[in-house]
Amino acid sequence: MGNLLKRLEQKGNQQSGGAGGNNSNTPAPSGGAGGRPGGGESKLDQMRRPMPQAGQVGMQKEGYADLKSRVQQKLLSELDPSMDTRSAEVRSTIEELFSTILAEENIVLSRNEKQRLFEQIVAEILGLGPLETLLADETVSEIMVNGPKNVYIEQKGRLTRTNVTFENDDHVLRVLDRIVAPLGRRIDESSPMVDARLADGSRVNAIIRPLALCGPTITIRKFSKKPYTVEDLIRFGSFTAEIAEFLRACVIGRLNGVVSGGTGSGKTTLLNVLSSFIPNDERIVTVENAAELQLRQEHVVTLESRPPNIEGRGEVTIQDLVVNCLRMRPDRIVVGECRSGEALDMLQAMNTGHDGSLTTAHSNSPRDTLARLEVMCLMSGMDLPVRAIREQIASAVNFICHQERLRDGTRKVTKVTEVQGMEGDIITMSDIFEFEQTGIEAGKVIGRIRPTGLRPKFIDAIEAAGIHLPPSVFGIGVSRF
């Protein structure tokens, strides 16, 4: 190795062409490159020299960011602050000013670069900055911002990291303020957590420093612009046509139901589909933390809870809204999610003539759903015996539709369970439909949703509503294997 380096040194000296190229004691002229006479550079020095491309790329990125920042700041100073950013003329005004600024500063860009810069600046001024491209992509179902440099998305049930980034924490906070300000909400050090929604109904949760150590963290649960229909869920394989027919009969027959499942399992989407079965001539009152349900009926009243103000006053909880909606002459009550003491008021409503009510709850199974309802009733502050709570649950809830997000990212209804009543101190249940997994192939869960062959006890209530389900819906008279 030593001989090889020496030969490379000698070869470099010979190629340098300097008079004293072979004399190591000759001092190099000032300004000579690599310490070689006459500015020569040996092969070894060339090998040691860092590659220039990385630095050039970094300079290009910094130059682009600086250009974008300068043009954006100048554009904001030129715009009229009183201008309504939602009006159609704003974009054309911004485009005119943008072209003028580029011409004044003698900035020459290709057509693609100019269009890209313009769209990014418009997104910063009128939209949600770097998130606009992700919000416009219909294949993205969830967006997760973990600080300014880490943005993840969910597509087809899979999490992937994107190349979308923010400049710094302040950049994320500016976008966050643009989300929460129109809703009359705030997020700062005194109130570092917030629930909000976008104009299209997408759910937003944000948490910032000092609680989020990695920086401002935003989670956006997107909803499709066109709500999913029952036909869509059948096509996706979430459930079968038989389950759809059975659930439609339950809703029209004014049976009370709970949609259960884990986080991200599709509970709200399923609740939206079940709500679409409600007849158009009934008055529906929905109660939610953030208005997400997209009901298509004509007579719908939407209520949304409110957090406390900066002084800690003015809070309106889901429980307050459920109590209030009982005075609004509802035919149906649809609660987006029961999380606390409102579960007791919901059960009371179901047991006092408000049949056909629907809600969702987080749980791992239908049996766990009943246990969670018990706990939530105790959270209301009422000192009730457990048996009394269970009797209320058994009398109020008719069916539980449990949905899960499987290992391969697909969402399926895994159980449709009837709540039959009480035997001693235990609530009895029976599965009407269940998902049977047969294996996994290439990372894909293989299985089918099949009827158990049992007819629910509330079939008489369905038939009293003029709906006659054929025995084949429950797997009676057909081969189940």
Side-chain angles (χ1 to χ4, degrees), residues 38-96:
E41 186 178 26
S42 71
K43 290 287 185 182
L44 186 60
D45 289 332
Q46 291 176 7
M47 292 167 66
R48 288 173 177 163
R49 188 174 61 192
M51 297 293 287
Q53 285 81 359
Q56 292 172 0
V57 171
M59 288 296 291
Q60 288 173 1
K61 285 184 179 179
E62 290 176 9
Y64 183 82
D66 181 58
L67 172 63
K68 177 188 167 189
S69 178
R70 281 192 295 113
V71 174
Q72 184 176 321
Q73 292 300 324
K74 194 164 185 179
L75 193 56
L76 285 171
S77 65
E78 296 285 342
L79 281 174
D80 184 1
S82 62
M83 185 181 294
D84 183 8
T85 57
R86 293 171 295 182
S87 63
E89 297 83 18
V90 175
R91 187 180 176 93
S92 59
T93 304
I94 292 175
E95 192 165 9
E96 291 175 8

Side-chain angles (χ1 to χ4, degrees), residues 33-159:
R36 292 295 168 190
E41 186 178 26
S42 71
K43 290 287 185 182
L44 186 60
D45 289 332
Q46 291 176 7
M47 292 167 66
R48 288 173 177 163
R49 188 174 61 192
M51 297 293 287
Q53 285 81 359
Q56 292 172 0
V57 171
M59 288 296 291
Q60 288 173 1
K61 285 184 179 179
E62 290 176 9
Y64 183 82
D66 181 58
L67 172 63
K68 177 188 167 189
S69 178
R70 281 192 295 113
V71 174
Q72 184 176 321
Q73 292 300 324
K74 194 164 185 179
L75 193 56
L76 285 171
S77 65
E78 296 285 342
L79 281 174
D80 184 1
S82 62
M83 185 181 294
D84 183 8
T85 57
R86 293 171 295 182
S87 63
E89 297 83 18
V90 175
R91 187 180 176 93
S92 59
T93 304
I94 292 175
E95 192 165 9
E96 291 175 8
L97 289 173
F98 175 75
S99 300
T100 303
I101 291 169
L102 292 184
E104 288 176 354
E105 297 204 5
N106 295 322
I107 298 171
V108 180
L109 298 172
S110 68
R111 180 180 297 178
N112 290 338
E113 289 174 338
K114 184 178 178 180
Q115 184 64 25
R116 177 185 164 209
L117 180 61
F118 174 70
E119 292 296 341
Q120 289 186 355
I121 290 176
V122 167
E124 290 289 346
I125 296 174
L126 302 181
L128 301 181
L131 298 180
E132 282 294 324
T133 54
L134 301 178
L135 291 169
D137 189 344
E138 294 185 359
T139 64
V140 176
S141 57
E142 197 146 0
I143 302 170
M144 290 144 279
V145 179
N146 305 340
K149 301 302 180 183
N150 298 307
V151 179
Y152 290 81
I153 59 172
E154 182 189 70
Q155 283 179 305
K156 298 179 180 178
R158 301 287 186 180
L159 291 180

Side-chain angles (χ1 to χ4, degrees), residues 176-186:
L176 192 51
D177 285 336
R178 201 167 295 149
I179 294 173
V180 301
L183 302 174
R185 301 188 180 183
R186 62 188 178 85

Side-chain angles (χ1 to χ4, degrees), residues 24 53 98 144 150 196 198 232 300-301 307 329 382 388 420 422 431 454:
S24 60
Q53 285 81 359
F98 175 75
M144 290 144 279
N150 298 307
L198 301 181
D232 292 328
V300 179
V301 179
R329 199 249 174 238
M382 301 291 289
Q420 294 182 326
M422 293 281 292
D431 294 334
L454 299 175

Side-chain angles (χ1 to χ4, degrees), residues 340-341 343-344 371-386 389:
S340 185
L344 180 59
R372 282 217 67 224
L373 286 174
E374 287 182 30
V375 173
M376 287 188 285
C377 288
L378 293 172
M379 291 170 68
S380 67
M382 301 291 289
D383 188 14
L384 297 172
V386 173
I389 295 174

Side-chain angles (χ1 to χ4, degrees), residues 344 347-348 351 377 387-397:
L344 180 59
L347 293 175
Q348 293 285 77
N351 274 324
C377 288
R387 181 177 174 83
I389 295 174
R390 289 180 181 175
E391 287 176 348
Q392 287 287 309
I393 294 172
S395 176
V397 180

